[in-house]
Amino acid sequence: MTVIWGIVNVTPDSFSDGGRFLDAAQAIEHGLGLWRAGAGILDVGGESTRPGADRVDPAVEQERVLPVISALAAEGATISVDTLNASTAVAAVTAGARIVNDVSGGLADEQMLPAVADTDADYALGHWRGPSADMYANASYRRAAREVAGELREGVGRAAAAGIAPSRIILDPGIGFAKAGDTNWDVLRGLDEITALGHRVLVGTSRKRFLADTLRTTADAQEEISIERRDLATAVTSALAARAGAWAVRVHDVAATRDALAVARAWEG
């Protein structure tokens, strides 16, 4: 069964819910709501990775996420920490996180891979070609899915060399990261290139710009696409990703995705 990761952004500037859960108590309540709605893992992050986002000092990041992680873990939830910083990863695991979700695949902080290796946490290794501030500078591909798979394979090699066992590695093709428009669809259509690497695969399309671009009518290219419409598109892409072999999907709206996965399972018998 596909695992649903519920997103808990403890940030002031995440692209769709920045500031809503910056208060720890609100973030904890939100996380528990996602857990009760069917999230198998809660992904807690204190630094936005939206395009153009500025980096956050690790001390500030930890002040945001550690109380939330501790409280949610104490309730029995399985926690992932969404971070680019080795020091935050280690502190989060100490606080109760069981997975480190690093969208940079160890490239943002050279200490990340050895730091994670020294813990018992699993490691979600993302496809990345540069920081959020200029991620689209390297968004050129010839065969997107194959190139992403190849670069993820290199990331697995780096992680293994640092001492992270292959069984602990989860691969994330980094939808929306250094990928513009139709490139994201190319990667999703070629998801088998990534699942063929033999690791668990995490897919995160939630509310991303390429979905909004797809939903805009040709008559009004500037049409504003609501969060509700993005969540519906997310649920559809998550169900399709599950059908293509994704082990997990990372979403804001857990309930809609849970329902989409249930319908897809019923269809497939």
Side-chain angles (χ1 to χ4, degrees):
M1 183 177 293
T2 306
V3 179
I4 301 174
W5 287 35
I7 298 170
V8 183
N9 285 324
V10 195
T11 62
D13 58 343
S14 291
F15 72 93
S16 74
D17 59 0
R20 289 189 62 195
F21 309 112
L22 186 57
D23 176 75
Q26 290 178 319
I28 293 163
E29 182 180 1
H30 177 60
L32 290 174
L34 296 178
W35 187 39
R36 295 184 188 111
I41 295 169
L42 299 176
D43 193 42
V44 180
E47 176 179 349
S48 174
T49 53
R50 63 176 173 76
D54 294 325
R55 295 301 312 275
V56 172
D57 185 279
V60 173
E61 180 188 30
Q62 290 165 35
E63 184 179 353
R64 292 173 179 173
V65 302
L66 295 182
V68 178
I69 290 170
S70 295
L72 292 174
E75 293 290 336
T78 301
I79 308 300
S80 166
V81 60
D82 181 0
T83 184
L84 301 171
N85 298 302
S87 61
T88 300
V90 172
V93 172
T94 301
R98 292 169 56 185
I99 303 170
V100 175
N101 179 17
D102 175 10
V103 300
S104 82
L107 297 176
D109 184 342
E110 64 182 11
Q111 297 303 314
M112 178 65 87
L113 297 178
V116 173
D118 286 340
T119 74
D120 60 356
D122 283 356
Y123 181 63
L125 186 158
H127 177 263
W128 198 70
R129 285 187 171 181
S132 296
D134 63 349
M135 68 167 67
Y136 294 128
N138 299 304
S140 177
Y141 300 83
R142 289 178 179 269
R143 301 184 66 179
R146 181 159 296 183
E147 291 175 55
V148 168
E151 290 168 34
L152 286 172
R153 185 184 296 109
E154 293 172 2
V156 170
R158 294 192 303 271
I164 301 175
S167 61
R168 295 169 59 191
I169 295 174
I170 302 159
L171 297 182
D172 179 353
I175 300 300
F177 290 92
K179 300 169 190 70
D182 286 347
T183 299
N184 295 289
W185 292 116
D186 291 340
V187 174
L188 291 171
R189 291 187 197 102
L191 204 60
D192 60 324
E193 300 258 13
I194 296 159
T195 59
L197 296 175
H199 297 269
R200 292 168 289 170
V201 173
L202 167 67
V203 173
T205 63
S206 194
R207 298 181 180 174
K208 292 191 174 178
R209 181 183 301 174
F210 81 105
L211 294 179
D213 290 343
T214 298
L215 296 176
R216 287 191 179 91
T217 65
T218 55
D220 185 2
Q222 302 304 313
E223 180 184 2
E224 184 66 27
I225 304 301
S226 67
I227 292 299
E228 290 76 16
R229 291 181 67 189
R230 290 191 190 211
D231 282 339
L232 176 59
T234 299
V236 174
T237 52
S238 295
L240 292 171
R243 187 175 184 180
W247 165 74
V249 291
R250 181 180 180 273
V251 301
H252 294 84
D253 187 338
V254 168
T257 298
R258 178 201 62 206
D259 291 347
L261 292 175
V263 170
R265 283 195 298 272
W267 182 293
E268 293 168 356

